[in-house]
């Protein structure tokens, strides 16, 4: 039977402000990418999400980012590799405290936003992320775009490299994500998101924005928590996957 992990970005709030419906999404997804305070999230939020994830048996992932609260981690930044490695390790370590307090642990690492897109092509920044993961825990899987420099460097360093697909993002003909600033970068039609999710998992491919067939061999499928109607959409995606014979389970 085909299996797939469902992940979502959670804990994306700060203080009294909350962007994601963490509790309801945790009833659907199998892995939670938890913001570690650099693009969103704070100590109380991280603790709360870890406790809720642990109660539901959802795997906890550290969603590491450039230090960019004002820009939600989506602005391009040039960070020296040694500094970036230290900041990645710092974010993982902070989340690990709350995960362990909840009776579980950080199970994987996934970059966020501008950092995620940068390490698709930038080997130096990809190496810095991997160095940070190794510094924090040399056994942690790394989640990233298939064919990315990040997964290549992670595999060479002996880290499990986990390819990821996106249910609600448009793809280029090269298999990268269409930049958010471009029209149509985010797929908003619920039926389209559900159909491409099932198609991606069962056929290992998606249709690019130009109409080309692009191979995307993914072990995890991302549903963005800040998408309008994210909870209902996640439920529908999971239901349709299971109806089509796909087993939904965490990759770790």
């Amino acid at each position: 039977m085909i299996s797939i992990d469902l992940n979502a970005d959670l804990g994306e709030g700060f203080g009294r402000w909350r962007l994601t419906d963490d509790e309801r999404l945790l009833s659907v997804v199998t892995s939670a990418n938890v913001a570690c305070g650099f693009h969103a999230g704070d100590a109380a939020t991280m603790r709360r999400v870890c406790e809720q994830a642990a109660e539901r048996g959802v795997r906890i992932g550290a969603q590491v980012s450039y230090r960019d609260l004002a820009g939600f981690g989506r602005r391009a930044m040039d960070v020296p590799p040694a500094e970036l490695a230290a900041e990645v390790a710092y974010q993982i370590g902070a989340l690990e405290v709350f995960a362990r307090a909840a009776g579980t642990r950080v199970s994987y690492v996934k970059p966020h936003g501008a950092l995620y897109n940068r390490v698709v092509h930038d080997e130096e920044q990809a190496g810095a992320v991997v160095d940070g993961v190794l510094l924090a825990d040399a056994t942690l899987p790394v989640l990233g775009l298939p064919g990315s420099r990040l997964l290549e460097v992670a595999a060479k360093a002996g880290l499990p490299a986990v390819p990821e697909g996106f249910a609600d993002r448009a793809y280029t003909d090269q298999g990268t994500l269409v930049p958010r600033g471009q029209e149509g970068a985010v797929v908003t039609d619920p039926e389209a998101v559900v159909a491409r999710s099932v198609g991606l998992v069962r056929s290992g491919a998606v249709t690019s924005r130009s109409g080309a067939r692009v191979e995307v061999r993914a072990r995890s499928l991302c549903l963005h928590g800040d998408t309008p109607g994210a909870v209902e959409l996640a439920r529908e995606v999971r239901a349709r996957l299971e109806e089509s014979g796909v087993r939904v389970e965490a990759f770790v």
Side-chain angles (χ1 to χ4, degrees), residues 87-113:
E87 292 191 337
V88 166
Y90 179 92
Q91 292 174 76
I92 297 168
L95 188 64
E96 179 71 4
V97 168
F98 299 117
R100 286 191 178 276
T104 183
R105 57 163 298 196
V106 171
S107 296
Y108 65 94
V109 178
K110 174 184 173 179
H112 165 81

PDB file of all heavy atoms in Angstrom, residues 87-113:
ATOM      1  N   GLU A  87      22.400  29.278  14.447  1.00  0.00           N
ATOM      2  CA  GLU A  87      21.001  29.669  14.642  1.00  0.00           C
ATOM      3  C   GLU A  87      20.055  28.497  14.383  1.00  0.00           C
ATOM      4  O   GLU A  87      19.017  28.374  15.032  1.00  0.00           O
ATOM      5  CB  GLU A  87      20.668  30.863  13.757  1.00  0.00           C
ATOM      6  CG  GLU A  87      21.397  32.131  14.195  1.00  0.00           C
ATOM      7  CD  GLU A  87      20.895  33.386  13.505  1.00  0.00           C
ATOM      8  OE1 GLU A  87      20.307  33.279  12.411  1.00  0.00           O
ATOM      9  OE2 GLU A  87      21.096  34.472  14.079  1.00  0.00           O
ATOM     10  N   VAL A  88      20.387  27.643  13.421  1.00  0.00           N
ATOM     11  CA  VAL A  88      19.581  26.443  13.184  1.00  0.00           C
ATOM     12  C   VAL A  88      19.633  25.530  14.401  1.00  0.00           C
ATOM     13  O   VAL A  88      18.601  25.041  14.888  1.00  0.00           O
ATOM     14  CB  VAL A  88      20.073  25.697  11.919  1.00  0.00           C
ATOM     15  CG1 VAL A  88      19.470  24.283  11.849  1.00  0.00           C
ATOM     16  CG2 VAL A  88      19.694  26.480  10.668  1.00  0.00           C
ATOM     17  N   ALA A  89      20.839  25.296  14.924  1.00  0.00           N
ATOM     18  CA  ALA A  89      20.982  24.450  16.116  1.00  0.00           C
ATOM     19  C   ALA A  89      20.243  25.047  17.309  1.00  0.00           C
ATOM     20  O   ALA A  89      19.612  24.325  18.096  1.00  0.00           O
ATOM     21  CB  ALA A  89      22.466  24.269  16.445  1.00  0.00           C
ATOM     22  N   TYR A  90      20.307  26.361  17.445  1.00  0.00           N
ATOM     23  CA  TYR A  90      19.637  27.068  18.549  1.00  0.00           C
ATOM     24  C   TYR A  90      18.125  26.844  18.490  1.00  0.00           C
ATOM     25  O   TYR A  90      17.485  26.558  19.514  1.00  0.00           O
ATOM     26  CB  TYR A  90      19.957  28.554  18.426  1.00  0.00           C
ATOM     27  CG  TYR A  90      19.333  29.461  19.454  1.00  0.00           C
ATOM     28  CD1 TYR A  90      19.998  29.773  20.636  1.00  0.00           C
ATOM     29  CD2 TYR A  90      18.083  30.037  19.226  1.00  0.00           C
ATOM     30  CE1 TYR A  90      19.435  30.637  21.572  1.00  0.00           C
ATOM     31  CE2 TYR A  90      17.509  30.887  20.152  1.00  0.00           C
ATOM     32  CZ  TYR A  90      18.192  31.191  21.324  1.00  0.00           C
ATOM     33  OH  TYR A  90      17.625  32.031  22.239  1.00  0.00           O
ATOM     34  N   GLN A  91      17.555  26.948  17.297  1.00  0.00           N
ATOM     35  CA  GLN A  91      16.110  26.775  17.145  1.00  0.00           C
ATOM     36  C   GLN A  91      15.689  25.339  17.451  1.00  0.00           C
ATOM     37  O   GLN A  91      14.677  25.099  18.127  1.00  0.00           O
ATOM     38  CB  GLN A  91      15.687  27.157  15.727  1.00  0.00           C
ATOM     39  CG  GLN A  91      15.837  28.642  15.430  1.00  0.00           C
ATOM     40  CD  GLN A  91      15.539  28.968  13.975  1.00  0.00           C
ATOM     41  OE1 GLN A  91      14.381  29.010  13.553  1.00  0.00           O
ATOM     42  NE2 GLN A  91      16.582  29.209  13.192  1.00  0.00           N
ATOM     43  N   ILE A  92      16.456  24.373  16.970  1.00  0.00           N
ATOM     44  CA  ILE A  92      16.148  22.973  17.256  1.00  0.00           C
ATOM     45  C   ILE A  92      16.218  22.713  18.756  1.00  0.00           C
ATOM     46  O   ILE A  92      15.337  22.065  19.340  1.00  0.00           O
ATOM     47  CB  ILE A  92      17.120  22.038  16.511  1.00  0.00           C
ATOM     48  CG1 ILE A  92      16.974  22.204  14.994  1.00  0.00           C
ATOM     49  CG2 ILE A  92      16.875  20.576  16.908  1.00  0.00           C
ATOM     50  CD1 ILE A  92      18.081  21.530  14.194  1.00  0.00           C
ATOM     51  N   GLY A  93      17.255  23.246  19.392  1.00  0.00           N
ATOM     52  CA  GLY A  93      17.424  23.042  20.822  1.00  0.00           C
ATOM     53  C   GLY A  93      16.299  23.636  21.641  1.00  0.00           C
ATOM     54  O   GLY A  93      15.841  23.028  22.624  1.00  0.00           O
ATOM     55  N   ALA A  94      15.837  24.813  21.238  1.00  0.00           N
ATOM     56  CA  ALA A  94      14.736  25.451  21.961  1.00  0.00           C
ATOM     57  C   ALA A  94      13.474  24.605  21.887  1.00  0.00           C
ATOM     58  O   ALA A  94      12.784  24.391  22.898  1.00  0.00           O
ATOM     59  CB  ALA A  94      14.480  26.840  21.384  1.00  0.00           C
ATOM     60  N   LEU A  95      13.164  24.097  20.698  1.00  0.00           N
ATOM     61  CA  LEU A  95      11.960  23.284  20.551  1.00  0.00           C
ATOM     62  C   LEU A  95      12.101  21.953  21.276  1.00  0.00           C
ATOM     63  O   LEU A  95      11.127  21.425  21.829  1.00  0.00           O
ATOM     64  CB  LEU A  95      11.660  23.052  19.064  1.00  0.00           C
ATOM     65  CG  LEU A  95      10.321  22.376  18.757  1.00  0.00           C
ATOM     66  CD1 LEU A  95       9.151  23.247  19.189  1.00  0.00           C
ATOM     67  CD2 LEU A  95      10.216  22.050  17.263  1.00  0.00           C
ATOM     68  N   GLU A  96      13.311  21.404  21.292  1.00  0.00           N
ATOM     69  CA  GLU A  96      13.542  20.110  21.944  1.00  0.00           C
ATOM     70  C   GLU A  96      13.207  20.166  23.427  1.00  0.00           C
ATOM     71  O   GLU A  96      12.689  19.192  23.997  1.00  0.00           O
ATOM     72  CB  GLU A  96      15.004  19.685  21.739  1.00  0.00           C
ATOM     73  CG  GLU A  96      15.383  18.363  22.389  1.00  0.00           C
ATOM     74  CD  GLU A  96      14.771  17.142  21.711  1.00  0.00           C
ATOM     75  OE1 GLU A  96      14.092  17.284  20.668  1.00  0.00           O
ATOM     76  OE2 GLU A  96      14.963  16.045  22.249  1.00  0.00           O
ATOM     77  N   VAL A  97      13.480  21.295  24.078  1.00  0.00           N
ATOM     78  CA  VAL A  97      13.152  21.443  25.502  1.00  0.00           C
ATOM     79  C   VAL A  97      11.663  21.212  25.728  1.00  0.00           C
ATOM     80  O   VAL A  97      11.259  20.458  26.628  1.00  0.00           O
ATOM     81  CB  VAL A  97      13.556  22.847  26.007  1.00  0.00           C
ATOM     82  CG1 VAL A  97      12.960  23.109  27.381  1.00  0.00           C
ATOM     83  CG2 VAL A  97      15.070  22.983  26.049  1.00  0.00           C
ATOM     84  N   PHE A  98      10.828  21.835  24.905  1.00  0.00           N
ATOM     85  CA  PHE A  98       9.381  21.722  25.085  1.00  0.00           C
ATOM     86  C   PHE A  98       8.859  20.366  24.632  1.00  0.00           C
ATOM     87  O   PHE A  98       7.907  19.834  25.211  1.00  0.00           O
ATOM     88  CB  PHE A  98       8.685  22.857  24.351  1.00  0.00           C
ATOM     89  CG  PHE A  98       9.078  24.211  24.868  1.00  0.00           C
ATOM     90  CD1 PHE A  98       9.729  25.121  24.056  1.00  0.00           C
ATOM     91  CD2 PHE A  98       8.825  24.562  26.191  1.00  0.00           C
ATOM     92  CE1 PHE A  98      10.111  26.363  24.545  1.00  0.00           C
ATOM     93  CE2 PHE A  98       9.205  25.808  26.685  1.00  0.00           C
ATOM     94  CZ  PHE A  98       9.853  26.705  25.864  1.00  0.00           C
ATOM     95  N   ALA A  99       9.480  19.797  23.595  1.00  0.00           N
ATOM     96  CA  ALA A  99       9.073  18.470  23.150  1.00  0.00           C
ATOM     97  C   ALA A  99       9.348  17.439  24.243  1.00  0.00           C
ATOM     98  O   ALA A  99       8.497  16.594  24.553  1.00  0.00           O
ATOM     99  CB  ALA A  99       9.811  18.101  21.865  1.00  0.00           C
ATOM    100  N   ARG A 100      10.521  17.498  24.841  1.00  0.00           N
ATOM    101  CA  ARG A 100      10.867  16.536  25.895  1.00  0.00           C
ATOM    102  C   ARG A 100       9.982  16.730  27.128  1.00  0.00           C
ATOM    103  O   ARG A 100       9.588  15.766  27.780  1.00  0.00           O
ATOM    104  CB  ARG A 100      12.340  16.664  26.257  1.00  0.00           C
ATOM    105  CG  ARG A 100      13.267  16.077  25.196  1.00  0.00           C
ATOM    106  CD  ARG A 100      14.690  15.963  25.676  1.00  0.00           C
ATOM    107  NE  ARG A 100      15.542  15.359  24.669  1.00  0.00           N
ATOM    108  CZ  ARG A 100      15.683  14.051  24.482  1.00  0.00           C
ATOM    109  NH1 ARG A 100      15.017  13.209  25.259  1.00  0.00           N
ATOM    110  NH2 ARG A 100      16.469  13.575  23.547  1.00  0.00           N
ATOM    111  N   ALA A 101       9.674  17.980  27.442  1.00  0.00           N
ATOM    112  CA  ALA A 101       8.792  18.243  28.582  1.00  0.00           C
ATOM    113  C   ALA A 101       7.410  17.650  28.352  1.00  0.00           C
ATOM    114  O   ALA A 101       6.710  17.290  29.310  1.00  0.00           O
ATOM    115  CB  ALA A 101       8.694  19.747  28.827  1.00  0.00           C
ATOM    116  N   ALA A 102       7.011  17.542  27.082  1.00  0.00           N
ATOM    117  CA  ALA A 102       5.711  16.963  26.744  1.00  0.00           C
ATOM    118  C   ALA A 102       5.776  15.442  26.602  1.00  0.00           C
ATOM    119  O   ALA A 102       4.778  14.805  26.262  1.00  0.00           O
ATOM    120  CB  ALA A 102       5.194  17.583  25.440  1.00  0.00           C
ATOM    121  N   GLY A 103       6.956  14.868  26.826  1.00  0.00           N
ATOM    122  CA  GLY A 103       7.091  13.416  26.762  1.00  0.00           C
ATOM    123  C   GLY A 103       7.440  12.876  25.407  1.00  0.00           C
ATOM    124  O   GLY A 103       7.303  11.668  25.151  1.00  0.00           O
ATOM    125  N   THR A 104       7.918  13.730  24.510  1.00  0.00           N
ATOM    126  CA  THR A 104       8.287  13.277  23.175  1.00  0.00           C
ATOM    127  C   THR A 104       9.605  13.946  22.794  1.00  0.00           C
ATOM    128  O   THR A 104      10.387  14.321  23.659  1.00  0.00           O
ATOM    129  CB  THR A 104       7.151  13.594  22.170  1.00  0.00           C
ATOM    130  OG1 THR A 104       7.504  13.086  20.878  1.00  0.00           O
ATOM    131  CG2 THR A 104       6.850  15.073  22.072  1.00  0.00           C
ATOM    132  N   ARG A 105       9.857  14.122  21.503  1.00  0.00           N
ATOM    133  CA  ARG A 105      11.106  14.741  21.073  1.00  0.00           C
ATOM    134  C   ARG A 105      10.926  15.354  19.692  1.00  0.00           C
ATOM    135  O   ARG A 105       9.934  15.095  18.992  1.00  0.00           O
ATOM    136  CB  ARG A 105      12.230  13.706  21.020  1.00  0.00           C
ATOM    137  CG  ARG A 105      11.925  12.526  20.121  1.00  0.00           C
ATOM    138  CD  ARG A 105      13.174  11.743  19.770  1.00  0.00           C
ATOM    139  NE  ARG A 105      14.114  12.597  19.034  1.00  0.00           N
ATOM    140  CZ  ARG A 105      15.140  12.103  18.337  1.00  0.00           C
ATOM    141  NH1 ARG A 105      15.373  10.810  18.297  1.00  0.00           N
ATOM    142  NH2 ARG A 105      15.951  12.918  17.701  1.00  0.00           N
ATOM    143  N   VAL A 106      11.876  16.178  19.301  1.00  0.00           N
ATOM    144  CA  VAL A 106      11.902  16.689  17.927  1.00  0.00           C
ATOM    145  C   VAL A 106      12.311  15.532  17.024  1.00  0.00           C
ATOM    146  O   VAL A 106      13.321  14.868  17.268  1.00  0.00           O
ATOM    147  CB  VAL A 106      12.904  17.858  17.791  1.00  0.00           C
ATOM    148  CG1 VAL A 106      13.084  18.230  16.324  1.00  0.00           C
ATOM    149  CG2 VAL A 106      12.415  19.071  18.574  1.00  0.00           C
ATOM    150  N   SER A 107      11.507  15.281  15.984  1.00  0.00           N
ATOM    151  CA  SER A 107      11.715  14.109  15.138  1.00  0.00           C
ATOM    152  C   SER A 107      12.326  14.418  13.790  1.00  0.00           C
ATOM    153  O   SER A 107      12.791  13.509  13.096  1.00  0.00           O
ATOM    154  CB  SER A 107      10.380  13.387  14.911  1.00  0.00           C
ATOM    155  OG  SER A 107       9.869  12.886  16.130  1.00  0.00           O
ATOM    156  N   TYR A 108      12.320  15.692  13.365  1.00  0.00           N
ATOM    157  CA  TYR A 108      12.885  16.059  12.066  1.00  0.00           C
ATOM    158  C   TYR A 108      13.054  17.567  12.002  1.00  0.00           C
ATOM    159  O   TYR A 108      12.615  18.291  12.902  1.00  0.00           O
ATOM    160  CB  TYR A 108      11.991  15.565  10.925  1.00  0.00           C
ATOM    161  CG  TYR A 108      10.625  16.209  10.875  1.00  0.00           C
ATOM    162  CD1 TYR A 108      10.370  17.328  10.081  1.00  0.00           C
ATOM    163  CD2 TYR A 108       9.573  15.712  11.633  1.00  0.00           C
ATOM    164  CE1 TYR A 108       9.118  17.930  10.050  1.00  0.00           C
ATOM    165  CE2 TYR A 108       8.321  16.300  11.612  1.00  0.00           C
ATOM    166  CZ  TYR A 108       8.102  17.410  10.813  1.00  0.00           C
ATOM    167  OH  TYR A 108       6.869  18.005  10.791  1.00  0.00           O
ATOM    168  N   VAL A 109      13.663  18.038  10.925  1.00  0.00           N
ATOM    169  CA  VAL A 109      13.892  19.474  10.718  1.00  0.00           C
ATOM    170  C   VAL A 109      13.441  19.852   9.318  1.00  0.00           C
ATOM    171  O   VAL A 109      13.682  19.120   8.352  1.00  0.00           O
ATOM    172  CB  VAL A 109      15.390  19.824  10.890  1.00  0.00           C
ATOM    173  CG1 VAL A 109      15.633  21.309  10.616  1.00  0.00           C
ATOM    174  CG2 VAL A 109      15.877  19.455  12.288  1.00  0.00           C
ATOM    175  N   LYS A 110      12.772  21.003   9.217  1.00  0.00           N
ATOM    176  CA  LYS A 110      12.356  21.526   7.921  1.00  0.00           C
ATOM    177  C   LYS A 110      12.598  23.035   7.879  1.00  0.00           C
ATOM    178  O   LYS A 110      12.116  23.756   8.749  1.00  0.00           O
ATOM    179  CB  LYS A 110      10.871  21.245   7.672  1.00  0.00           C
ATOM    180  CG  LYS A 110      10.333  21.902   6.395  1.00  0.00           C
ATOM    181  CD  LYS A 110       8.833  21.685   6.217  1.00  0.00           C
ATOM    182  CE  LYS A 110       8.306  22.492   5.039  1.00  0.00           C
ATOM    183  NZ  LYS A 110       6.861  22.290   4.811  1.00  0.00           N
ATOM    184  N   PRO A 111      13.349  23.528   6.900  1.00  0.00           N
ATOM    185  CA  PRO A 111      13.500  24.978   6.767  1.00  0.00           C
ATOM    186  C   PRO A 111      12.173  25.632   6.369  1.00  0.00           C
ATOM    187  O   PRO A 111      11.279  24.985   5.815  1.00  0.00           O
ATOM    188  CB  PRO A 111      14.542  25.138   5.648  1.00  0.00           C
ATOM    189  CG  PRO A 111      15.242  23.821   5.598  1.00  0.00           C
ATOM    190  CD  PRO A 111      14.185  22.801   5.950  1.00  0.00           C
ATOM    191  N   HIS A 112      12.080  26.925   6.641  1.00  0.00           N
ATOM    192  CA  HIS A 112      10.863  27.678   6.345  1.00  0.00           C
ATOM    193  C   HIS A 112      11.144  28.790   5.339  1.00  0.00           C
ATOM    194  O   HIS A 112      12.227  29.379   5.326  1.00  0.00           O
ATOM    195  CB  HIS A 112      10.321  28.314   7.631  1.00  0.00           C
ATOM    196  CG  HIS A 112       9.291  29.385   7.406  1.00  0.00           C
ATOM    197  ND1 HIS A 112       7.964  29.095   7.158  1.00  0.00           N
ATOM    198  CD2 HIS A 112       9.398  30.739   7.359  1.00  0.00           C
ATOM    199  CE1 HIS A 112       7.298  30.218   6.987  1.00  0.00           C
ATOM    200  NE2 HIS A 112       8.141  31.225   7.107  1.00  0.00           N
ATOM    201  N   GLY A 113      10.147  29.097   4.522  1.00  0.00           N
ATOM    202  CA  GLY A 113      10.125  30.311   3.720  1.00  0.00           C
ATOM    203  C   GLY A 113      11.331  30.536   2.834  1.00  0.00           C
ATOM    204  O   GLY A 113      11.710  29.702   2.009  1.00  0.00           O
TER     205      GLY A 113
END
